[in-house]
Amino acid sequence: VSIHKCTLRFTTTQDKKHLVQVLQYLLTTKHLKLNNQPKNTQDLTCWVDASFGERSHAGILILWGEAPISWSSRKLDYTALSSAEAEYIALTMATKDIMYVSQLIHEITGITCNITMYTDSKSAMKIATSEGTKARTKHLDIRAHHVRQHIKPKGNITLKYARTQTHLADSLTKAIPIMKLKHLQQALFTNV
């Protein structure tokens, strides 16, 4: 698709400005490619992040070994009432995704993966690992508690905390500074 054809669809000056920014990014990163050679095929890692607000989103990044095989940024299934709740709902969405990917890998290769999920919310981790309902979470639908069935010791997912500064799914929910973008590029891409 030529740039001329693309600009015809964008009518406002702001749209054209965004198009120029995207094209500049693509030109400056054309030497990069996704790292698609999993080094350790026993490990399946999921990075989960959520943004809280009127339009809360979940960002989910799944790595097989060190190779990204699935990523998404989508609206939350529920209306979250707090940032911890948004992160918890994102964990539930990610659990469904990671379990599907794990089963698919097992069916194709016969490999049973060690699954680790990273979040930058200690509050969401506490909700996910606690038994029963608390006053602050009793309004959540039973569907939202799906994650509890899969977290160790009941299930086979290890839930770990990751600092926001090193979180790989952070860019799927919000704009990030250039230094964090470079960290993400180093983690997910290799030079051509």
Side-chain angles (χ1 to χ4, degrees):
V1 177
S2 71
I3 294 173
H4 178 69
K5 287 181 183 175
C6 288
T7 56
L8 291 178
R9 285 191 282 150
F10 299 101
T11 56
T12 68
T13 306
Q14 189 67 24
D15 288 340
K16 290 178 184 175
K17 182 180 175 186
H18 285 147
L19 176 64
V20 169
Q21 289 174 338
V22 168
L23 291 174
Q24 286 173 338
Y25 174 78
L26 291 173
L27 287 172
T28 58
T29 59
K30 64 183 177 185
H31 65 284
L32 298 176
K33 69 175 185 171
L34 276 176
N35 174 10
N36 60 1
Q37 301 294 321
K39 290 186 173 89
N40 183 355
T41 57
Q42 296 293 321
D43 293 332
L44 198 55
T45 308
C46 182
W47 295 82
V48 186
D49 194 26
S51 65
F52 172 65
E54 187 178 322
R55 297 179 180 193
S56 299
H57 280 79
I60 301 167
L61 171 66
I62 299 175
L63 306 174
W64 185 22
E66 294 177 8
I69 59 170
S70 175
W71 56 91
S72 67
S73 178
R74 57 188 187 250
K75 279 184 71 169
L76 293 182
D77 296 339
Y78 300 92
T79 301
L81 301 177
S82 67
S83 58
E85 194 174 306
E87 296 275 358
Y88 181 65
I89 294 167
L91 276 176
T92 299
M93 293 168 67
T95 299
K96 291 188 268 185
D97 290 356
I98 195 90
M99 294 309 297
Y100 169 77
V101 170
S102 175
Q103 290 169 1
L104 183 64
I105 290 172
H106 182 70
E107 285 179 24
I108 294 171
T109 66
I111 296 171
T112 302
C113 294
N114 304 316
I115 303 172
T116 306
M117 253 200 305
Y118 288 96
T119 181
D120 60 354
S121 173
K122 290 181 180 178
S123 300
M125 289 178 69
K126 189 171 183 173
I127 297 169
T129 56
S130 67
E131 290 294 323
T133 57
K134 307 287 186 243
R136 292 182 184 257
T137 60
K138 65 183 176 186
H139 64 281
L140 287 174
D141 191 9
I142 292 171
R143 266 189 314 165
H145 297 300
H146 173 73
V147 66
R148 290 181 177 173
Q149 299 172 19
H150 297 284
I151 301 293
K152 286 184 178 177
K154 286 183 184 177
N156 59 343
I157 296 176
T158 304
L159 186 59
K160 291 186 177 182
Y161 175 76
R163 295 178 332 148
T164 302
Q165 293 81 358
T166 59
H167 204 287
L168 295 181
D170 210 29
S171 65
L172 297 172
T173 58
K174 60 187 92 42
I176 57 173
I178 191 73
M179 291 309 293
K180 186 153 185 167
L181 181 62
K182 293 208 181 285
H183 166 72
L184 183 66
Q185 284 178 345
Q186 289 172 347
L188 300 178
F189 296 94
T190 57
N191 287 323
V192 176

